[in-house]
Amino acid sequence: TDYAPNAEGLAWFVADVLPRVVAAVPDVHLVVTGRGGAPTHPRVRAAGWLPALDDAYAEASAVVVPVRRGG
């Protein structure tokens, strides 16, 4: 989240999408990987930078890349 489009997309997802997901799946949580932090939210945990994402993908039920601008 040290790149503005990533931070913006993550903030949008947590504010606008995550509440809808929680309504449908009450025990859901979001694990944020990468440099930078994560929004303070009871359902969000920052995993930090991971050298490989294989384990994170294996543990995930879904993967989200909430980039709304940039490339």
Side-chain angles (χ1 to χ4, degrees), residues 7-30:
E8 176 189 324
L10 181 58
W12 164 79
F13 185 85
V14 169
D16 294 347
V17 179
L18 187 58
R20 297 177 200 178
V21 176
V22 169
V25 185
D27 63 341
V28 72
H29 63 274
L30 175 65

Side-chain angles (χ1 to χ4, degrees), residues 1 4 11-12 16 23-24 26 29-30 37 40-41 49 54 56 64 66-68 70-71:
T1 56
W12 164 79
D16 294 347
H29 63 274
L30 175 65
T40 301
H41 187 283
W49 176 257
D54 299 344
V64 177
V67 176
R68 296 167 29 116

Side-chain angles (χ1 to χ4, degrees), residues 32-64:
V32 178
T33 63
R35 289 183 292 240
T40 301
H41 187 283
R43 305 250 182 207
V44 178
R45 177 175 65 85
W49 176 257
L50 303 175
L53 294 175
D54 299 344
D55 291 340
Y57 288 150
E59 294 176 16
S61 297
V63 175
V64 177

